[in-house]
Amino acid sequence: MPAPDAASLHAKLSAGFLRHQQGDLDGALACYSEVLAVAPKNVDALHLSGLVAHARGDHATALARIGAAIALLPNNPEMLANLSAVRLASGDAAGALSASDQAIGFNARSAMAHAARGAALSALGQTDAAAAAYRTASEINPANPDPLNNLGNLEQRRGNLEAALGHYERALALAPASIQVHSNYGTALYALARRDAAGARDADARVRAWRRAHPDNPMARHWFAALTQSDAPTRAGDEYLRNAFDMFAPAFEETLADLGYRAPQAIGAYLAAMYGAPNAQLSILDVGCGTGLAAPHLRPYASRLDGVDLSPAMLARAQARGLYADLRVGEAMADMNAHRGQYDLAVAADVFVYFGDLAPLCAAAAACLRRQGRLIFTLEAMDPGDARAAQGWGVGPSGRYVHMRAHAEQALAAAGFALETFASEVFRREGGYDQPGYLVAAKLN
């Protein structure tokens, strides 16, 4: 068998790297695999295919591939820094720190290695040392916004909101299109607004400046509406939701657990009261299914369980549960309207809270249901004293929408539903306080 041609291998690697940069992980991996098929010790193909595995959350494969590359080229700081990131993602913070220190030992001027060290130290709770590592990374490569973003995250976790916002603002100056920095900036502004009256005034000024500087950014638009309580759209934008939840996906379930989130459990209890013992006879659509937290409560009642969500990153985690027949990337109303009359039950846990006017959403739910089909969803309650109570809905400071009961009842009736329950519930804590909400169930006439 002839030896592989170096030029063709380089061309294939280059093609794979281009696809990798464009987010085409399948295409990138196909190219890297072709190289490894003829050159199994190709360092670049091993390393890069390990990074694809890392992006997919396959830490075991990532560790094996990057480890094999380092065994062939042990003094490469970039690969050691990436190994640090994979070890950290797999829960081995001490191993991540060791790999980053090895990288720095080979090149003390590697910004990537110092950033990896900062992430490992942060995970180990050594926040002062982590901040110092991030600052070193930023000093070495001042054009890179990532260390500044990480410094902002660290300071936000420590409660130093003004410092966090300053880091995010510097990062946005370097990378005005960064989805990650915009998202983090919004959550920091929300925390600042909730802190005290002075914080609320500061947050108001900053969010207005943010909106002026980035008028087309979906996160700036959404948080402007939330924090100023003005210019609220009838629903959260698809781009905002997709970006926010793609970024939120890795920490989604842990974060909700910390908030005492229990909407899926409440829905499961209602199903038990409504249907009795599970009989696996219903065709069910999990609307805005996210990572599939509701699936264990829905699957026992389902002959078929499908899910739809805007976020591919969330759906990847739902897929891993192995409980869905079909998972679709899509907008909730469009998907329900496209699957007319296919379901006996549509369930939406913590989904209607991203819509203001519920009439179009209830109409779409009616479209996807069979006759006598049911819709079950959760809402967050609007204070009756809210200036927007007559409208029936408004976006809250959290970025989620709140609703008056009357608005939801009118939307359901207009779509042909008969109300079965409208129960006051608490599904989460917000800022240390119970967030009042509703569990709503209705049957299609």
Side-chain angles (χ1 to χ4, degrees), residues 359-381:
L361 189 56
C362 289
C368 82
L369 291 172
R370 296 169 180 152
R371 189 179 178 190
Q372 303 295 302
R374 280 193 173 90
L375 170 64
I376 301 174
F377 59 93
T378 63
L379 293 174
E380 292 190 4

Side-chain angles (χ1 to χ4, degrees), residues 109-429:
R109 296 293 297 169
S110 169
M112 186 176 177
H114 284 283
R117 188 171 194 270
L121 288 166
S122 179
L124 290 167
Q126 300 179 39
T127 53
D128 289 340
Y134 287 139
R135 290 192 186 96
T136 299
S138 185
E139 290 165 3
I140 293 170
N141 185 3
N144 185 355
D146 292 341
L148 292 169
N149 181 55
N150 289 329
L151 273 169
N153 293 341
L154 188 150
E155 295 297 351
Q156 185 172 180
R157 288 194 298 273
R158 295 204 284 195
N160 300 330
L161 297 175
E162 288 85 353
L165 289 163
H167 291 310
Y168 294 142
E169 287 164 359
R170 289 174 58 201
L172 284 175
L174 293 170
S178 171
I179 293 167
Q180 188 176 58
V181 182
H182 278 289
S183 179
N184 293 336
Y185 191 63
T187 59
L189 285 175
Y190 171 54
L192 182 65
R194 290 185 63 90
R195 192 179 64 187
D196 53 32
R201 289 191 296 271
D202 189 8
D204 183 86
R206 287 178 189 257
V207 79
R208 291 177 188 277
W210 184 24
R211 175 67 187 275
R212 287 193 299 271
H214 304 274
D216 298 323
N217 183 273
M219 293 186 178
R221 292 199 306 268
H222 186 84
W223 282 111
F224 175 84
L227 295 178
T228 66
Q229 298 292 281
S230 62
D231 195 25
T234 58
R235 54 162 298 181
D238 289 351
E239 190 178 0
Y240 162 77
L241 291 172
R242 183 183 302 107
N243 291 338
F245 282 98
D246 273 350
M247 290 187 51
F248 193 18
F252 179 74
E253 296 187 15
E254 181 181 349
T255 301
L256 289 186
D258 290 342
L259 297 174
Y261 178 69
R262 57 173 303 275
Q265 292 86 340
I267 289 171
Y270 183 79
L271 290 175
M274 174 60 66
Y275 292 106
N279 56 16
Q281 292 185 354
L282 301 174
S283 178
I284 303 176
L285 177 62
D286 189 356
V287 183
C289 62
T291 62
L293 284 175
H297 303 278
L298 302 177
R299 191 67 187 87
Y301 296 91
S303 59
R304 177 186 179 92
L305 175 62
D306 295 340
V308 59
D309 200 279
L310 270 170
S311 166
M314 299 285 273
L315 285 178
R317 285 161 171 77
Q319 182 71 52
R321 293 181 183 274
L323 296 175
Y324 292 91
D326 185 27
L327 285 167
R328 302 186 289 264
V329 177
E331 189 276 325
M333 289 196 297
D335 186 86
M336 289 189 288
N337 280 316
H339 293 83
R340 304 181 74 85
Q342 293 191 18
Y343 296 100
D344 303 303
L345 174 65
V347 173
D350 221 32
V351 175
F352 281 37
V353 296
Y354 293 103
F355 293 78
D357 183 2
L358 298 180
L361 189 56
C362 289
C368 82
L369 291 172
R370 296 169 180 152
R371 189 179 178 190
Q372 303 295 302
R374 280 193 173 90
L375 170 64
I376 301 174
F377 59 93
T378 63
L379 293 174
E380 292 190 4
M382 175 179 267
D383 185 335
D386 193 304
R388 302 161 296 177
Q391 176 179 264
W393 58 268
V395 62
S398 67
R400 297 186 301 277
Y401 285 76
V402 292
H403 293 87
M404 294 294 293
R405 173 172 178 161
H407 173 76
E409 289 181 339
Q410 291 165 7
L412 287 166
F417 286 99
L419 186 65
E420 292 187 317
T421 191
F422 210 110
S424 294
E425 294 268 4
V426 172
F427 302 117
R428 69 165 73 212
R429 291 177 65 79

